[in-house]
Amino acid sequence: MRVSGSICCILLILPIVTHAQNELDRLLKGEIQYESLQANHLDALLRIYAFKPSTDKLSEPGELSATDLQLSLGLSSAVESKIKTRSSDKRIQQSKNRDAFQLAWFYYNERKPAQALEVLDNIEGKADGVSLSDIEYLRALLYIHAGSFKAAAKLLYELPLIDQPRGYTQYNLALAQLQSGNEERGSSRLASLGRMNTSDADLLALKDMANLKLGYRYLQQGNLEQAKASFDLVRLDGPFTNQALLGSGWTLFSMSQLKRAIVAWSLLHKQEAINDTVIEAKMALPYAYSKLGVHGKAANLYAQAVELFESEIAHLDASIEAIRKGDLNQAIINNHTTQGDDWFIRLSSRSEQAEFYLPLLLANNEFRDQADKLSQLAQLKNRIELGLTSVAASSEFARLKRKYYGTNLPAAEKELSAIDQDMKNIIPSVSQQTDTPNKRENMIPEIALLQQTYDNVLEAHKATAEYNRQLPEYSRELAELATELKGLDPKLSQAIANTGKQVEAIALTTLDRKRNQLKSYHHNALFALAESYDFATGNRQ
Amino acid sequence: MTSSARTISMRATHRGHTTTLCAGLLISLMLTAACNITSIEDENTLSSLEQMDINIQNEKIEDSLHKAMEPKQGAR
């Protein structure tokens, strides 16, 4: 009877406990997710470590795990050591395999295909929440990056249709086939991708990309009709419109349809944004006019191009000078308060900042990596500085408390002894009246309340005294923490300086290359201008 | 109802169902095709540039350009 009673009790309590635990886990997961979305990966990771007992339930497939956060912080070696040893427990090993898969993606994104392949090759057996197709798809992408196109094409071809990540597999397969020399299959696959009917924004962009790729491929091969047909399928309001307009213009130009080429290039020419495609159109459009014998128009357009190139070169010079002075690094460092990983969005939207050609710089992976690192280091330095302020405030608080307790505790103790004596005097007389000495349940309610209050005061006093006794130890620990944090500062400053130098060097090389390119365009535009001017003014026939 | 009459009746019902199904399928196919055609036609692609007319006209050389070219002409 007693056993069944206990079981009933447990069964009744269990849902309540489980519910509370689930609630706690849910809150914890939310907190971790929040910190991670704010790009405070370290805080998110510390939350996971702090709540270690319940973290088992956190690493369900699809949820943020310690591995996710470690990799977000670039701590690949921590994950490496985690997966190094094999476990005899099947569940643990499957979880390790998932970590290995995540690590392989990390290396893929870091453009380290050899390391990623090594990690993938070491995966034996099933991985939590990861299918074999997922692994093979990643392996194929790594083969593409490593230049093993034939092997990549084979793997992608054999992937079950159902597991293929939408159109991307088809696109990557087509690229692998083209790169491995299988022109016919690659082109036909790109063509079928370029004709798919979809309303999905991502797939529409992929469709445009397939048509663009195919268009340029046909143009290079001299298949002009096919090139035109492919460019014609690219949307006018998509991410690849400019490149398609440029390619379409050259195709029509090669087909001697100069007027139609002028239509395509005019759309590009009138754009304000200065990028490679628009710059090429600035030269291509007057060239087409000059070929039609419309030299006056061509000369005016060349003159506009010369002016634009000169102003752009001057702008680039100013940016190069500002970067040499360290303004770009300072802007990234000062931007440390930006929430999230996309620090550059806020930086590029700041009107008071000098123009650093961020879109051009961010297209360079190496720059992006180093600038990300600089931003993270600056954020860390800021966190440490804030931490030092907090430690100083806590130390001051502890000092004030010690002072306060030092003054007031002796007096409070004296007062308590007096009250204690008074209580002893009162309670025996009450006990005699109730015949049961010191039994609170038999006391007069007012006296019981007094006794309870007194007991509470005694407890609080004990705790305060204990706290006061430990205050010097807290102060010592705080001082140690402050010393450790201060010790990190020079190392961090050095790392920021080194990374800053790299950011600066890459940015200068990129902008210098751009400057040389514009110089070359400027030079050509001057010659073309002189020629068109001569034709227009009748100096040349 | 005799057994053969029941079979005829069942066949008739079956044929009726088949006709309804076929008609439904045909309508849905036609609707899908119509939607597809509409979506392709509605898509704002580079092919629509074919409809754009352009008037190619020569221009007078701008005065500023004449001025800019003068010293270069003199230098020649």
Side-chain angles (χ1 to χ4, degrees):
Chain A
M1 190 67 190
R2 192 174 289 171
V3 174
S4 60
S6 304
I7 290 172
C8 282
C9 240
I10 289 168
L11 285 176
L12 279 170
I13 291 166
L14 200 60
I16 300 166
V17 174
T18 316
H19 178 72
Q21 189 59 45
N22 286 346
E23 275 296 301
L24 192 66
D25 278 352
R26 212 162 55 82
L27 281 172
L28 177 58
K29 280 174 201 168
E31 210 176 333
I32 290 165
Q33 190 86 29
Y34 172 78
E35 293 292 359
S36 179
L37 284 172
Q38 298 282 312
N40 296 331
H41 305 302
L42 185 63
D43 299 61
L45 192 61
L46 291 174
R47 293 275 191 291
I48 285 192
Y49 287 155
F51 291 89
K52 197 83 181 171
S54 55
T55 50
D56 278 354
K57 288 179 185 173
L58 286 168
S59 51
E60 290 291 321
E63 284 179 356
L64 263 180
S65 65
T67 306
D68 287 311
L69 296 166
Q70 281 166 333
L71 292 176
S72 298
L73 289 165
L75 302 171
S76 55
S77 52
V79 183
E80 283 266 16
S81 58
K82 200 157 59 172
I83 60 169
K84 206 184 281 175
T85 51
R86 292 194 67 78
S87 170
S88 51
D89 185 318
K90 206 173 160 187
R91 204 181 67 89
I92 295 174
Q93 188 52 44
Q94 285 185 4
S95 165
K96 282 187 177 209
N97 285 347
R98 177 160 63 107
D99 292 343
F101 178 71
Q102 284 174 285
L103 182 64
W105 264 113
F106 173 82
Y107 283 139
Y108 168 76
N109 290 325
E110 292 277 298
R111 294 173 297 285
K112 293 175 180 165
Q115 275 168 275
L117 278 170
E118 199 184 322
V119 174
L120 275 193
D121 287 343
N122 285 330
I123 295 179
E124 277 175 32
K126 285 184 178 176
D128 250 358
V130 181
S131 71
L132 188 64
S133 298
D134 293 333
I135 295 175
E136 294 305 278
Y137 180 69
L138 176 57
R139 196 188 300 280
L141 294 185
L142 290 165
Y143 281 154
I144 291 176
H145 274 248
S148 310
F149 299 111
K150 216 167 184 173
K154 189 173 179 290
L155 270 182
L156 289 170
Y157 188 76
E158 284 169 359
L159 271 186
L161 263 176
I162 195 150
D163 291 332
Q164 294 180 4
R166 306 202 290 173
Y168 301 101
T169 312
Q170 294 298 311
Y171 184 79
N172 287 320
L173 174 56
L175 288 195
Q177 284 173 329
L178 287 175
Q179 294 289 336
S180 61
N182 199 341
E183 186 73 35
E184 203 179 319
R185 280 195 176 183
S187 297
S188 110
R189 198 166 296 279
L190 271 187
S192 70
L193 195 59
R195 284 193 302 270
M196 73 175 152
N197 197 13
T198 175
S199 55
D200 181 291
D202 289 348
L203 288 181
L204 278 171
L206 193 70
K207 181 182 170 181
D208 284 345
M209 198 153 79
N211 284 316
L212 184 76
K213 186 93 188 161
L214 206 54
Y216 273 105
R217 202 143 183 110
Y218 285 137
L219 179 61
Q220 276 170 358
Q221 293 163 352
N223 297 331
L224 301 178
E225 287 292 344
Q226 282 172 295
K228 186 183 172 304
S230 297
F231 286 129
D232 272 354
L233 290 172
V234 179
R235 286 170 302 156
L236 274 171
D237 52 359
F240 301 102
T241 311
N242 285 358
Q243 286 149 287
L245 284 170
L246 189 67
S248 175
W250 282 119
T251 308
L252 292 160
F253 188 90
S254 307
M255 292 164 91
S256 303
Q257 296 184 26
L258 300 187
K259 287 184 182 178
R260 307 291 345 143
I262 284 174
V263 173
W265 285 338
S266 294
L267 289 175
L268 267 180
H269 190 274
K270 65 183 177 194
Q271 287 188 20
E272 280 181 19
I274 302 298
N275 53 49
D276 284 356
T277 323
V278 175
I279 285 173
E280 200 176 324
K282 299 279 178 199
M283 292 295 281
L285 185 64
Y287 182 59
Y289 275 113
S290 71
K291 284 284 169 192
L292 280 171
V294 188
H295 295 295
K297 175 89 178 170
N300 285 336
L301 287 172
Y302 275 129
Q304 283 175 25
V306 167
E307 209 174 303
L308 178 85
F309 295 149
E310 281 171 359
S311 100
E312 207 56 28
I313 289 168
H315 204 168
L316 267 169
D317 285 340
S319 286
I320 289 171
E321 190 51 38
I323 292 171
R324 280 213 180 97
K325 272 169 44 195
D327 289 0
L328 173 63
N329 284 347
Q330 209 49 54
I332 295 173
I333 292 167
N334 290 346
N335 203 37
H336 57 69
T337 46
T338 302
Q339 296 284 305
D341 285 331
D342 295 338
W343 53 268
F344 47 84
I345 293 175
R346 180 146 158 196
L347 186 62
S348 50
S349 66
R350 280 189 184 175
S351 54
E352 74 275 17
Q353 295 286 355
E355 173 67 67
F356 295 120
Y357 289 85
L358 272 182
L360 173 70
L361 295 177
L362 290 166
N364 183 333
N365 286 328
E366 214 186 336
F367 174 83
R368 176 72 182 262
D369 289 348
Q370 293 301 324
D372 272 345
K373 200 168 145 190
L374 182 62
S375 175
Q376 281 170 11
L377 285 170
Q379 283 180 38
L380 195 60
K381 191 169 164 40
N382 183 49
R383 289 288 304 274
I384 287 178
E385 278 163 9
L386 289 174
L388 272 170
T389 315
S390 301
V391 168
S394 303
S395 298
E396 178 61 13
F397 185 60
R399 191 188 66 78
L400 288 174
K401 275 204 159 181
R402 278 176 71 187
K403 194 179 158 192
Y404 174 77
Y405 287 143
T407 320
N408 294 313
L409 267 182
E413 263 168 26
K414 265 188 196 168
E415 223 169 292
L416 271 174
S417 319
I419 295 169
D420 191 41
Q421 196 50 55
D422 287 349
M423 290 292 289
K424 276 177 189 158
N425 293 340
I426 296 166
I427 291 168
S429 58
V430 175
S431 301
Q432 278 162 13
Q433 287 170 22
T434 56
D435 293 324
T436 43
N438 285 334
K439 288 276 178 187
R440 202 172 285 163
E441 59 264 29
N442 294 327
M443 281 182 192
I444 300 162
E446 286 78 3
I447 298 294
L449 183 65
L450 186 64
Q451 177 76 50
Q452 179 66 55
T453 312
Y454 177 65
D455 288 350
N456 290 346
V457 169
L458 270 184
E459 277 298 309
H461 174 71
K462 265 187 208 162
T464 311
E466 180 60 19
Y467 179 66
N468 189 40
R469 200 181 56 74
Q470 286 180 354
L471 270 176
E473 181 61 16
Y474 291 152
S475 298
R476 193 188 58 76
E477 281 178 13
L478 282 170
E480 266 178 23
L481 184 62
T483 314
E484 273 179 41
L485 287 176
K486 278 179 192 157
L488 282 175
D489 195 58
K491 288 178 195 165
L492 207 52
S493 299
Q494 188 59 44
I496 287 176
N498 291 343
T499 313
K501 271 183 201 162
Q502 296 204 40
V503 168
E504 201 176 292
I506 303 164
L508 287 175
T509 311
T510 313
L511 293 196
D512 213 41
R513 204 180 298 133
K514 182 78 188 167
R515 192 181 182 281
N516 289 340
Q517 186 200 22
L518 280 175
K519 271 281 195 194
S520 161
Y521 271 121
H522 180 250
H523 184 76
N524 292 340
L526 277 177
F527 273 98
L529 168 62
E531 198 179 66
S532 288
Y533 185 83
D534 282 353
F535 274 119
T537 51
N539 287 337
R540 204 188 287 199
Q541 296 299 315
Chain B
M1 199 187 280
T2 61
S3 162
S4 58
R6 194 179 297 132
T7 313
I8 290 164
S9 158
M10 276 173 72
R11 270 189 195 155
T13 321
H14 180 68
R15 193 175 293 161
H17 283 157
T18 314
T19 316
T20 317
L21 268 174
C22 282
L25 199 65
L26 203 66
I27 288 166
S28 62
L29 277 173
M30 279 165 73
L31 275 171
T32 314
C35 288
N36 283 350
I37 290 163
T38 317
S39 71
I40 287 167
E41 278 176 357
D42 284 348
E43 248 178 4
N44 192 17
T45 62
L46 261 67
S47 62
S48 62
L49 296 184
E50 294 275 356
Q51 316 300 323
M52 254 176 92
D53 206 15
I54 187 156
N55 189 14
I56 309 276
Q57 273 188 330
N58 207 354
E59 281 177 8
K60 268 179 69 183
I61 298 277
E62 283 168 18
D63 289 344
S64 57
L65 181 54
H66 276 306
K67 276 185 192 159
M69 295 302 275
E70 267 169 20
K72 287 172 194 165
Q73 292 277 306
R76 240 181 246 178

